[in-house]
Structures are given as structure tokens and as C-alpha cells.
Amino acid sequence: MAQEYLTLNRTNDKMPIIGYGCWKVEENPEQVVYTAIKNGYRLIDGAAVYGNEIGVGRGINRAIKEGIVKRSDLFVVSKLWNNYHNKAHVRAAIDRTLKDMELDYLDLYIVHFPVPLKYVDPAVEYPGPWFINGKVELEKSPMHELWAEMEKLVDAGLTRNIGISNFNAQLIMDLLTYAKYKPATLQIELHPYLQQTPLVKWVQEQDIQVTAYSSFGPSSYTVFSESAKTATPLLDHDVIKSIASKHGKTPAQVLLRWSIERDVAVLPKSMSEERIKSNLHVFSFKLDEKDHDEIKKLDENLRFNSLFAYNIDIPLFN
């Protein structure tokens, strides 16, 4: 399969533009990740907070042991959770991830949220919680100290690249004033209901690649978000279905292709092997100008992964 890539700053590593997203892969993550790799995925996007890194690592190592891939063929991503922002805990956090996944290094390690939660010893609870005694408790762990520790992880060979997620432009601008290694990627919620065009354009101009999560819109958030319950699922939206029919593709393929044509990486997740295969097959067609115009009209600035959806009163994206 012909795979397309985005080139990362500093290392010039080739990051596959389509990866397999591991959020909410709760049942048999080893088999699911193994199946994704067997069917051509080379980017595996995980996180400590997903609670499945042991299984994800087993799936990766099974594929390597069977000779389906070499470790160097894969692009493995994980994320630093909020309770480990203090400079004293960053190294221990990636060490735990590497131990759980039985890997020697990551290809990309991302600051998951710019929210420095109070440290909780992993021996007590891992990953740490949002709430302690019913409250969100922040600690004084500034981003400039955290980012310096992230850079040390690169120097130690524990991750090849470092990145950020859920950051706004103001915080990125500040980070760029002191970063020795600028972020390789920014991962954000991105779909036709939340197109974030100015942010995507500006970040790409800074030589930072953008990765979309939740490319299919509200489907993953219906248990958390009232707006996700009431929004028309993008996979069932008449505009998306019409474009899919015109090209002989699935609505999911249209949604993924829309991001790829913006030079934005995508992380589709499915538990079905048929859909896992289908989601990779987006390089044989192109959306035309009319398609893009119709999709552009769907933008409602509608965010589903708001912290408010989890009863966390932090206006992170305001």
C-alpha cells in the first residue's frame, strides 16, 4: 500500500498521514492494534490516560516478532498526562510508558493537555485523576520547565520527536520564544463542524504539522456531551453522504480525505477489520472545489471535546 507522510521539523522524520487512534480501544487492544498493523497502519497513536498501553505494546511487539514490520517501520506516539507536568516527574512518566509498551523509544511524545494537575503518585493511582477530593487541583509547574524536560527526553534517546495537543495559538507563541526544539506536531479536535482554519494555517506556517483527532465528529462523545447527542452524526450527514456517493467512497473516507487534502494527519479508530482496511483507502480519489465548498458550510465552531463536557470548569479553548 502506498502510504503518504508528513515531514517533521528538526528530525525530518516521515510521519504517516493516517494512523490508528487507540482512544477507547478497551476490548483486546493487543489484537486490535495487531490487526491494524497487519492491514497497513504504521502510525499507532496512544496515550497513558487511555489505560491500554500494555495491550497496545503487546500488539506492536507481536507484529514485530512475526516479521510483519520492523520497529523502524512504525511511528509510535504516546502522551504525557496532566498529573506529571512537574519537572521532577516527566522522565518517570515516559519511562512508565516505555516499560508498559515494552519499547526502547517513542517516535513522538506529546504534552496531552496544557493543564498542570496536582501530582498523584502512580503507586496510588495511574494515570492520575482530574479530580482530587471532588476538585480540580492545579500545581505550579510552568510550561517552560515542562518543555525543557521534554527536550531532555529527546537528548536521552527516549523519543525522537516531541509535540503538543489541545494548545491554543497564544500558548504556542509563548512556547516558541523559549523552545530549543519546537514542537513537531499539534494534535487538535478537527472535523467539518470544527474546522479551525486560521489555527491550522498559522501552525503549519510555523513548520509544525497538524494532526486531527475526532475526524468523524460527535460519534465518540455522545456519552459526555449534550451537543454531541443532538448534532447530526457526520457519517450520516446528507452533504457528506452525497459527496461519498459521487466518488464511490464511504462517508468515513470522505471525512478523512478532507483533512488529508489540508495536509492534516488523521487518526481513525474502528474495531471492525473491514472498516480498519477501508479507512486507509483514501489516496485513490480527490475532492473537488465544489466538495470543499459544501463541507466548508458545515463549520459551526462546534467542539465536542470541551472540558466542560466532563464537568471540568476550565475554559481551555477560550
Side-chain angles (χ1 to χ4, degrees):
M1 183 201 69
Q3 184 107 17
E4 294 194 5
Y5 302 86
L6 297 175
T7 301
L8 303 186
N9 65 51
R10 189 179 58 82
T11 60
N12 289 320
D13 285 354
K14 307 297 184 187
M15 183 179 79
I17 203 165
I18 299 182
Y20 186 81
C22 295
W23 183 46
K24 298 178 79 174
V25 178
E26 297 163 0
E27 185 175 339
N28 201 356
E30 175 183 346
Q31 181 61 41
V32 172
V33 169
Y34 171 81
T35 298
I37 295 172
K38 183 180 69 173
N39 282 288
Y41 287 81
R42 295 297 177 259
L43 187 158
I44 304 298
D45 180 85
V49 79
Y50 298 167
N52 56 12
E53 290 200 311
I54 291 175
V56 169
R58 286 174 178 166
I60 290 169
N61 282 293
R62 179 178 162 194
I64 293 170
K65 288 173 185 174
E66 291 186 10
I68 296 171
V69 289
K70 302 188 293 292
R71 172 64 185 90
S72 58
D73 296 328
L74 297 176
F75 194 97
V76 182
V77 183
S78 185
K79 305 179 187 76
L80 175 76
W81 187 235
N82 304 336
N83 303 89
Y84 316 124
H85 279 207
N86 188 276
K87 60 185 179 181
H89 305 306
V90 176
R91 172 64 186 260
I94 196 172
D95 284 344
R96 172 67 181 262
T97 282
L98 291 172
K99 179 183 176 184
D100 284 352
M101 299 186 78
E102 298 183 79
L103 296 175
D104 295 325
Y105 69 96
L106 298 173
D107 295 276
L108 175 63
Y109 195 47
I110 292 172
V111 179
H112 204 149
F113 283 93
V115 182
L117 295 179
K118 185 176 179 180
Y119 176 69
V120 174
D121 189 331
V124 175
E125 184 173 354
Y126 180 82
W130 277 102
F131 296 96
I132 299 175
N133 299 322
K135 296 190 302 182
V136 175
E137 294 191 33
L138 304 180
E139 66 177 14
K140 293 183 178 180
S141 296
M143 186 55 61
H144 70 89
E145 292 185 356
L146 164 56
W147 195 252
E149 294 304 311
M150 295 287 284
E151 291 169 337
K152 289 178 185 178
L153 303 181
V154 173
D155 294 337
L158 300 176
T159 182
R160 288 187 54 78
N161 302 277
I162 48 179
I164 52 180
S165 181
N166 299 305
F167 280 48
N168 62 22
Q170 294 93 325
L171 187 51
I172 298 170
M173 276 189 280
D174 183 63
L175 191 158
L176 292 176
T177 66
Y178 53 76
K180 179 175 68 170
Y181 305 146
K182 71 165 64 176
T185 65
L186 168 68
Q187 191 172 127
I188 51 174
E189 181 180 349
L190 202 67
H191 45 73
Y193 287 147
L194 183 69
Q195 300 187 19
Q196 304 207 69
T197 301
L199 178 62
V200 170
K201 179 176 181 291
W202 181 80
V203 168
Q204 290 173 334
E205 287 171 352
Q206 310 314 307
D207 196 23
I208 299 170
Q209 300 289 6
V210 177
T211 299
Y213 67 77
S214 302
S215 293
F216 302 148
S219 56
S220 293
Y221 297 99
T222 53
V223 295
F224 307 116
S225 166
E226 196 61 37
S227 62
K229 293 176 187 175
T230 58
T232 301
L234 281 168
L235 294 171
D236 296 328
H237 198 289
D238 287 344
V239 168
I240 303 301
K241 291 199 298 183
S242 175
I243 294 170
S245 177
K246 181 172 80 173
H247 292 283
K249 297 295 180 180
T250 67
Q253 289 169 330
V254 167
L255 292 167
L256 297 174
R257 182 72 201 181
W258 172 77
S259 279
I260 287 169
E261 291 189 8
R262 303 172 80 196
D263 293 323
V264 170
V266 290
L267 304 167
K269 184 212 79 177
S270 176
M271 306 299 286
S272 156
E273 185 166 8
E274 180 181 350
R275 288 193 294 273
I276 285 173
K277 292 178 180 178
S278 173
N279 288 339
L280 273 181
H281 296 155
V282 295
F283 299 112
S284 63
F285 76 107
K286 291 183 178 181
L287 302 179
D288 59 34
E289 186 175 352
K290 183 179 179 184
D291 298 333
H292 279 284
D293 288 343
E294 290 299 307
I295 293 174
K296 188 175 182 179
K297 295 175 186 175
L298 302 182
D299 195 359
E300 300 179 27
N301 197 33
L302 186 54
R303 186 184 303 277
F304 302 113
N305 195 31
S306 165
L307 296 186
F308 297 125
Y310 310 101
N311 296 313
I312 299 164
D313 293 327
I314 300 176
L316 184 63
F317 301 105
N318 291 10

